[in-house]
Structures are given as C-alpha cells and as structure tokens.
Amino acid sequence: MQPYEKHNSVAAVMNRSNVDTDQIIAKQFLKKVERTGFGIHLFHDWRYLEDGSDNPEFELNRPEFKGAKILIAGDNFGCGSSREHAPWSIADYGFNTIISTSYADIFFSNCFKNGILPIKVDAKTLQALMDEVEAEPGISITIDLENQVINTPAGNEITFDVDPFRKETLSKGLDDIGWTLKFEDKIDEFEVKHKQQLPWLWPSA
C-alpha cells in the first residue's frame, strides 16, 4: 500500500446518491483474492455499453476527468454488501480520495485499509465542490492529509476530520497487517515467554 501524500489532482464528479458496492464492482467479477486487476471493472454496468465500448454518457468517461485521483460523490457512498473488492477496484482504477457527505460504515473502514482517504463534508460544502468542478471540468484540487485541508482553484479552503490512528496508518501506507508487523519483535518476545510458561500449548515447538 502506498503512503498517502499531499497531492494535487483532477477531481471527477459523480452526482449520484446511494451508490452501492454491487454498482462499484459487480458480483461476476469477484473471482480473485488479489487486490489488483479490478479497476477495469469499476462501475461496469454504467461505464460500458452492451458491445463493451465506453458509454459516453457515463460521468467518469468524460475526457476532462481522465487521470482523476479524487472522486466527488453523492450521499451514502459504498452502501450495500461489505465486499472489500469495492475499495480494491476504486484504488486500482486510480482514485485515492473520495469526498461525500456519508458512507456505509464497512466501506468507510475498508477504504483506509486500502490506501483511500474517504473525506466527509456537509451537504452545502459538497454541492459547492460539485458546482466548482462542473463550472470548469478538469480542474485540480489539492488534498493535504497532514493538515486535513482541501484547497480548490477558487480559493476555497475546506477542513475535514480524520481519526488520528487512521491518518497515521494511511500516511505511512500501512494496512492492518503492515501495522501489526511493526510490532514483530514484541510478538516474537511474547511467543518465547509463552512457550516457556505454557509449553503444553506448543506441542510442535
């Protein structure tokens, strides 16, 4: 997982509410356990026509949004089932930031574990961001995780909250396993003592 760093990127707008995980990554593509290779299937049913070509009416297919790392989305993003393939596909596509008013709890948690920063803003702020992007599609927005600030070309400075622990793991590029491995020496030390104190629990040791 790559560390999340301050960056300036094109922002794409998806003005849809209640986008669920089956729309993010449809069930027929849940055939792998690796985190890569799912980006091509992101929003499949909206993104492609029946012949497999790009749907020109779909938001993310707009040329102005090419290369966007920031997704500005409607309310209750990531609702539905708890499939972790949803953030996998978002990250593999190239997004590392989502801005919305609300998220499904499990999806919200899974984002941090996969290098994605899900930012919560109020409805008025979200609409202002969408309006600014739609007025000039292709503009770039700056996301500063360290200072917890969004800066826009119009001069708007939007602060956001983030849990300190999640902020630290995201900024260091650590998922749950990576964080646990930081304490590998302490784990090894505990196992040595445990084997000495309770050897019958370690028959093969």
Side-chain angles (χ1 to χ4, degrees):
M1 198 168 92
Q2 293 296 317
Y4 189 103
E5 300 176 346
K6 177 180 178 180
H7 68 282
N8 182 266
S9 169
V10 171
V13 170
M14 177 181 285
N15 193 2
R16 305 186 188 214
S17 297
N18 304 311
V19 174
D20 66 40
T21 53
D22 190 53
Q23 292 162 327
I24 295 172
I25 180 73
K27 59 184 180 300
Q28 64 265 32
F29 302 116
L30 310 183
K31 299 176 181 178
K32 299 193 304 178
V33 294
E34 300 88 359
R35 298 187 186 188
T36 58
F38 292 99
I40 193 172
H41 304 303
L42 181 68
F43 302 121
H44 179 274
D45 292 346
W46 294 336
R47 188 173 160 193
Y48 302 108
L49 299 175
E50 289 187 3
D51 64 1
S53 61
D54 288 348
N55 178 3
E57 301 299 318
F58 180 55
E59 300 95 307
L60 298 189
N61 287 335
R62 295 170 62 177
E64 303 95 330
F65 293 159
K66 185 177 180 180
K69 292 184 178 296
I70 302 166
L71 177 63
I72 304 173
D75 306 333
N76 195 31
F77 191 84
C79 56
S81 67
S82 60
R83 65 189 67 171
E84 195 171 4
H85 294 73
W88 290 357
S89 62
I90 290 171
D92 194 58
Y93 180 87
F95 289 120
N96 68 0
T97 309
I98 306 172
I99 304 173
S100 180
T101 59
S102 56
Y103 304 85
D105 289 342
I106 294 176
F107 175 83
F108 183 77
S109 178
N110 282 340
C111 281
F112 288 99
K113 298 175 183 180
N114 290 281
I116 302 167
L117 172 62
I119 297 174
K120 294 181 181 179
V121 296
D122 59 41
K124 183 178 179 180
T125 299
L126 183 71
Q127 189 59 57
L129 283 169
M130 287 184 172
D131 290 345
E132 185 172 344
V133 173
E134 289 294 358
E136 193 176 351
I139 61 171
S140 293
I141 290 174
T142 299
I143 307 294
D144 183 348
L145 174 59
E146 181 179 358
N147 295 302
Q148 298 175 206
V149 173
I150 303 168
N151 291 107
T152 76
N156 295 311
E157 184 174 280
I158 303 158
T159 59
F160 59 90
D161 294 326
V162 59
D163 175 81
F165 174 73
R166 285 171 164 168
K167 177 179 178 178
E168 181 179 359
T169 55
L170 194 60
S171 64
K172 292 180 178 178
L174 297 173
D175 58 13
D176 288 351
I177 295 174
W179 177 261
T180 301
L181 289 176
K182 285 184 62 179
F183 307 98
E184 189 172 9
D185 58 336
K186 295 185 181 298
I187 294 170
D188 291 340
E189 182 181 337
F190 169 82
E191 287 187 352
V192 170
K193 290 181 179 179
H194 200 254
K195 289 176 183 178
Q196 293 172 346
Q197 295 169 353
L198 303 171
W200 58 88
L201 295 178
W202 300 81
S204 60

